[in-house]
């Protein structure tokens, strides 16, 4: 658990933050903007029950592509259905049951046979069926893995290659629940509070509603974001003498139907605003696992333990690293500042802008490694090109990590 000697008390109004430092990360905000109400959950238990229920009603099997027959439905010529000869895995019968592809699995099916999904969706169902049937009969891989769900009618949720290594969405949620309980404050890990822009304070005590929650699931993925914002960590002082406060956070995602990898990202941050942007982020670390043949083993031996390790770790190394970066003076003269940055791959123009960023935000030129890190990340926030921004953020991270070694 977090070492309490590093925890600062939180008043009922929250704690003041300086978000001009660190990185701004918009991943959670993008999820928040795009999720309709029926994809938003108010607790981890409610999220788990939903994704576990659909897994319990689903069945996976590997079949030969030659055993699949594609045809337009008799009652609706605009819709397709699949008929798979042989034993029906979901009902244990030999008779072939019609399977209705979802929007997502239809796109996967088109991709497997090399057909453009957007174009295929524009075709009348009978013509699309002919094209898909031809592609399946000539499919070189010969085998595919299907995920079918019986929900009143038999539905095809996913179709992938035979070596697809499925990690179920409920497995990820269960791993998070081991450290976060219900995610509503019954443990230190919870849905985040939010930043008050007027007072520049982060208030951890915000009611969890459909508008504030950060627990999401759709028919094709799950995403969740939790923080420990009731135990802020002091890591030095701001120029005005106030404490520079952080708290820990992580987000995780998965798709059991193949729309994305499994991943977990952990970090320290200073605030979360109402539209769920992460402000003042430091020490961002990410693990991703592709759904390849041994994905389940990698999740069990890498991702889940890494999440538990972060959740139960002490912030002492992070605080020590920030302290070391603040205390390590690397430049006192203008020539030294320019030389320090140029030796680390910054162009002349970037060098001047980094120094100007620090002058603007700190009221003095950079001297310590921490100063330069803050200037670099401030410059990164102004860049719209993602590759350029990631390159700058990577250089800042490398500097900060070097200071603590």
């Amino acid at each position: 658990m977090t070492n309490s000697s590093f925890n600062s008390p939180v008043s009922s109004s929250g704690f003041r933050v300086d978000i001009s430092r660190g990185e701004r990360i918009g991943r959670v905000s993008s999820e928040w903007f795009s999720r309709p109400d029926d994809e938003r959950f108010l607790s981890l238990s409610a999220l788990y029950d939903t994704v576990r229920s659909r897994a319990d009603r689903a069945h996976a099997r590997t079949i030969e592509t030659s055993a699949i027959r594609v045809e337009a439905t008799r009652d609706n010529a605009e819709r397709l259905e699949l008929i798979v000869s042989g034993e029906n895995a979901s009902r244990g019968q030999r008779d072939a049951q019609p399977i209705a592809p979802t929007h997502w699995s239809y796109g996967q099916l088109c991709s497997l046979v090399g057909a453009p999904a957007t174009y295929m969706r524009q075709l009348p169902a009978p013509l699309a069926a002919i094209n898909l049937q031809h592609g399946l009969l000539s499919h070189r891989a010969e085998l595919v893995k299907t995920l079918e769900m019986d929900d009143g009618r038999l539905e095809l949720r996913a179709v992938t290659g035979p070596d697809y290594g499925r990690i179920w969405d409920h497995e990820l949620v269960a791993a998070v629940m081991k450290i976060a309980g219900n995610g509503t404050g019954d443990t230190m890990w919870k849905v985040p509070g939010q930043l008050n822009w007027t007072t520049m304070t982060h208030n951890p005590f915000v009611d969890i509603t459909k508008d504030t929650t950060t627990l999401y699931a759709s028919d094709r993925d799950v995403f969740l974001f939790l923080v420990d914002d009731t135990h802020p960590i002091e890591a030095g002082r701001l120029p005005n003498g106030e404490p520079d406060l952080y708290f820990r956070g992580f987000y995780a995602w998965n798709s059991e139907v193949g729309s994305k990898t499994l991943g977990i990202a952990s970090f320290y941050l200073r605030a979360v605003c109402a539209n769920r942007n992460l402000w003042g982020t430091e020490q961002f670390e990410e693990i991703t696992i592709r759904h390849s043949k041994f994905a389940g083993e990698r999740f069990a031996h890498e991702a889940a333990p890494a999440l538990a390790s972060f959740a139960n770790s002490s912030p002492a190394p992070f605080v020590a690293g920030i302290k070391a970066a603040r205390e390590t003076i690397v430049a006192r003269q203008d020539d030294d500042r320019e030389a320090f940055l140029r030796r680390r791959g910054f162009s002349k123009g970037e060098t001047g802008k980094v120094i100007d960023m620090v002058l603007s935000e700190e009221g003095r030129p950079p001297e310590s490694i921490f100063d330069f890190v803050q200037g670099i990340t401030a410059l990164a926030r102004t860049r719209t090109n993602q590759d350029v921004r990631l390159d700058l953020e990577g250089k800042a991270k490398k500097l900060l990590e070097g200071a603590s070694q």
Side-chain angles (χ1 to χ4, degrees), residues 171-201:
E171 292 180 295
L172 175 61
V173 179
V176 173
M177 291 179 74
K178 287 181 179 179
I179 63 170
N182 216 22
T184 57
D186 52 321
T187 72
M188 63 186 180
W189 294 101
K190 55 184 277 294
V191 170
Q194 65 186 46
L195 175 66
N196 183 321
W197 287 99
T198 302
T199 61
M200 294 307 297
T201 58

Side-chain angles (χ1 to χ4, degrees), residues 100-279:
T102 63
H103 182 86
W104 170 251
S105 64
Y106 181 78
Q108 287 181 309
L109 189 62
C110 290
S111 178
L112 279 173
V113 302
T118 301
Y119 172 71
M120 293 289 285
R121 289 192 178 101
Q122 296 172 355
L123 295 178
L127 184 56
I130 292 172
N131 280 273
L132 280 175
Q133 190 70 73
H134 172 75
L136 288 168
L137 291 174
S138 59
H139 185 50
R140 295 178 62 186
E142 296 182 350
L143 295 175
V144 294
K145 181 181 288 187
T146 64
L147 180 65
E148 302 160 23
M149 185 172 73
D150 195 340
D151 194 16
R153 69 165 184 168
L154 198 56
E155 182 179 81
L156 180 66
R157 291 193 61 215
V159 54
T160 62
D163 292 329
Y164 180 78
R166 179 167 288 106
I167 301 170
W168 295 96
D169 291 340
H170 70 79
E171 292 180 295
L172 175 61
V173 179
V176 173
M177 291 179 74
K178 287 181 179 179
I179 63 170
N182 216 22
T184 57
D186 52 321
T187 72
M188 63 186 180
W189 294 101
K190 55 184 277 294
V191 170
Q194 65 186 46
L195 175 66
N196 183 321
W197 287 99
T198 302
T199 61
M200 294 307 297
T201 58
H202 177 86
N203 179 15
F205 308 109
V206 174
D207 290 340
I208 302 174
T209 66
K210 287 292 184 83
D211 193 50
T212 62
T213 188
T214 50
L215 309 174
Y216 311 123
S218 71
D219 62 345
R220 68 183 67 171
D221 77 325
V222 64
F223 183 95
L224 48 92
F225 167 49
L226 297 171
V227 300
D228 177 19
D229 58 358
T230 58
H231 303 92
I233 304 157
E234 180 178 337
R237 295 275 168 173
L238 299 171
N240 64 4
E242 293 183 352
D244 190 6
L245 297 177
Y246 302 79
F247 53 90
R248 298 185 300 162
F250 69 89
Y251 55 75
W253 66 92
N254 185 55
S255 172
E256 64 195 19
V257 297
S259 72
K260 59 185 68 172
T261 63
L262 177 141
I264 298 170
S266 62
F267 38 83
Y268 291 81
L269 69 161
R270 293 175 173 88
V272 182
C273 64
N275 62 2
R276 304 341 231 166
N277 275 303
L278 314 187
W279 294 91

Side-chain angles (χ1 to χ4, degrees), residues 11-22:
S11 70
S12 59
S13 60
F15 50 90
R16 286 183 57 80
V17 292
D18 177 7
I19 63 169
S20 67
R21 298 162 178 262

